[in-house]
Amino acid sequence: MSRLTQKGQGAPFSLFQTVSETVSPAPFSNSTTTAGERFDASDGREFVIVQNGTVALVAGVLVQAPPVVAAHQNMAVTAYSPKSSTVPYTTITVTLGATAATVNQYAGGFLVVNDNAGEGQTLKIQSHPAADLSTSLTLTLEDTAVTAITTASEVSLIPNLYVNVVVNPTTPTNTPIGVTLNAIAASVAGTTNVFGLIQTKGPTSCLNGDADLTVGSAISPSNATAGAVENGVIAQGFVGRALQAGVNTEYRTVYIDL
């Protein structure tokens, strides 16, 4: 079952350090902590551990969670087996759409019951094997549904937001999660995972994609420059406020709030 804990008291590596690890059976974890764990600085800034995707990141860019896979949404359930005194884990079997799943692609992410029996529940995923497109996938869950899931249920898979992160694109494919503090090398799929810290709250330098950035204004992810921010646009969502006037393509101080 998902554990409730207080926010991390000491990060496993320093603020501008990165850590590379050989891929293990649980690719969302490193040896001492988990991607997604948050830490506070004494000055009120907040940071979170991420595992980079397969493209290197530079300092001062807005980062997005890995893309949501359309073919892994609104799927049929073919079996559900809750944890019991004789069964140590909760499992659920779904039918994938026209996109395959790699081993543990959703480990540390969530299964959301989006329709019919048990709808509205969010359950954490522990692990799963690989599966071909349009075939069955059985996932082991950390959580057991409070309201029973049945073969009438429909479910969606949401990845761990802090694993295989990418530069925030001009057309979003998931949600922005923070700003890089330093360069983070690319992970190598199936071989090496690279971890680092990004900032989620407080003043930080970020690429500016709007020459008219206004001090004190809300800021949004840029729809013109990947990894940049611009003056707030309701339809693009807000990620914080501007602390400096903008100069297009330069880096300016923003108060990030994610």
Side-chain angles (χ1 to χ4, degrees):
M1 179 175 291
S2 296
R3 296 185 304 115
L4 298 178
T5 65
Q6 62 181 354
K7 191 179 293 183
Q9 298 301 299
F13 46 85
S14 62
L15 198 58
F16 301 105
Q17 182 184 3
T18 61
V19 174
S20 299
E21 293 195 342
T22 302
V23 169
S24 69
F28 61 94
S29 299
N30 69 22
S31 58
T32 54
T33 193
T34 302
E37 189 169 2
R38 292 176 182 261
F39 303 90
D40 286 333
S42 58
D43 54 24
R45 290 177 297 163
E46 184 180 76
F47 307 92
V48 63
I49 294 176
V50 296
Q51 179 197 311
N52 192 18
T54 57
V55 177
L57 299 173
V58 299
V61 292
L62 188 66
V63 175
Q64 183 200 261
V68 171
V69 179
H72 298 168
Q73 312 303 306
N74 205 41
M75 298 178 296
V77 174
T78 58
Y80 175 72
S81 178
K83 179 180 178 180
S84 68
S85 58
T86 57
V87 180
Y89 299 106
T90 296
T91 60
I92 187 169
T93 302
V94 302
T95 302
L96 295 178
T99 302
T102 59
V103 62
N104 283 338
Q105 179 178 346
Y106 291 99
F110 301 95
L111 179 139
V112 176
V113 187
N114 58 264
D115 199 13
N116 293 321
E119 61 189 5
Q121 296 179 96
T122 301
L123 309 173
K124 191 170 184 180
I125 299 167
Q126 183 179 82
S127 62
H128 62 82
D132 289 333
L133 68 158
S134 305
T135 62
S136 293
L137 171 65
T138 298
L139 304 105
T140 299
L141 305 179
E142 288 191 19
D143 303 317
T144 299
V146 175
T147 303
I149 298 172
T150 72
T151 54
S153 305
E154 294 176 346
V155 301
S156 297
L157 301 180
I158 303 300
N160 185 326
L161 300 185
Y162 304 98
V163 171
N164 293 321
V165 302
V166 298
V167 172
N168 198 77
T170 55
T171 300
T173 55
N174 205 324
T175 186
I177 57 171
V179 174
T180 53
L181 301 163
N182 55 292
I184 303 177
S187 295
V188 180
T191 303
T192 306
N193 293 331
V194 182
F195 296 85
L197 287 160
I198 63 172
Q199 189 167 333
T200 59
K201 187 174 183 179
T204 190
S205 174
C206 188
L207 179 62
N208 175 36
D210 192 337
D212 299 321
L213 202 65
T214 304
V215 174
S217 69
I219 54 172
S220 295
S222 172
N223 63 0
T225 304
V229 295
E230 61 182 32
N231 269 328
V233 179
I234 292 175
Q236 294 165 213
F238 301 128
V239 295
R241 303 182 299 280
L243 296 182
Q244 282 183 297
V247 175
N248 199 16
T249 74
E250 292 191 6
Y251 291 77
R252 283 296 183 265
T253 310
V254 300
Y255 186 97
I256 199 76
D257 192 4
L258 291 167

